[in-house]
Amino acid sequence: MEAERLIEAGRRALAESRGALDVMAEAWQAQALARTVGSRLALFGPMELRGEARALGEIGGGCAAPDHPAVLSRGTRAAQLSGIADVRAALTGLALLLGEAGIALVSVACDTGEDGLYWQCIEAMDAADESLDRVHGLLRRLAERERDGPYGGIRGPAPSAAGP
């Protein structure tokens, strides 16, 4: 599935999340998608983007999925990524998704009385914020590159079930 469609699916799912655990699961999904997009761009994207994209692909890599039935039963949306038709549009949508995930996580952190969940939210917010910074960096580099001429999309091998 194209990156833009996956990002839109993630934004819808995050908006429809009910409860702290659903928000955490969707924030994890968003982070997994950011890592996968970063990894795909690092392998197949323009040379100017590869270093920043590689860093995006590594953010939050040690985080485990929440013990949430939706995540456990379906895996990650990111595993469905088949290509990035429009790099700029995908990165712009990813920035929106990560920003929305960060805002949702702040709400969960403020509303929870559970210490463990609070710190999980803080860690997830840090990862979303760092990913968002990398996406903004990629967009800046892409704008610089596009001054020299347009760049199309990328395709690559389908990701394995284990991830990027």
Side-chain angles (χ1 to χ4, degrees):
M1 187 180 298
E2 291 292 325
E4 289 178 76
R5 288 183 57 206
L6 286 172
I7 291 165
E8 277 306 309
R11 291 184 69 205
R12 277 192 309 277
L14 181 62
E16 295 169 1
S17 293
R18 300 293 175 251
L21 293 181
D22 285 346
V23 170
M24 289 295 295
E26 288 306 322
W28 184 83
Q29 290 276 6
Q31 189 61 40
L33 185 55
R35 282 194 312 271
T36 303
V37 167
S39 295
R40 185 68 57 93
L41 287 173
L43 291 173
F44 304 108
M47 289 302 248
E48 300 85 5
L49 300 183
R50 290 186 180 187
E52 191 86 19
R54 187 172 298 106
L56 175 62
E58 295 171 353
I59 296 171
C63 298
D67 188 15
H68 189 277
V71 173
L72 294 176
S73 66
R74 292 188 305 248
T76 66
R77 272 183 220 99
Q80 301 172 37
L81 182 65
S82 61
I84 303 171
D86 182 335
V87 175
R88 174 172 293 293
L91 290 172
T92 300
L94 188 57
L96 288 171
L97 175 60
L98 290 167
E100 290 166 357
I103 290 168
L105 288 165
V106 168
S107 178
V108 169
C110 289
D111 289 343
T112 190
E114 185 184 325
D115 198 42
L117 182 59
Y118 172 81
W119 287 109
Q120 286 178 16
C121 285
I122 297 301
E123 289 176 16
M125 283 187 291
D126 286 346
D129 187 51
E130 185 178 351
S131 293
L132 185 57
D133 286 347
R134 295 289 181 180
V135 169
H136 285 151
L138 286 164
L139 285 166
R140 280 190 301 277
R141 287 183 187 268
L142 188 60
E144 291 169 2
R145 185 186 196 285
E146 287 176 343
R147 285 185 217 135
D148 298 332
Y151 179 76
I154 62 168
R155 293 244 177 248
S160 69

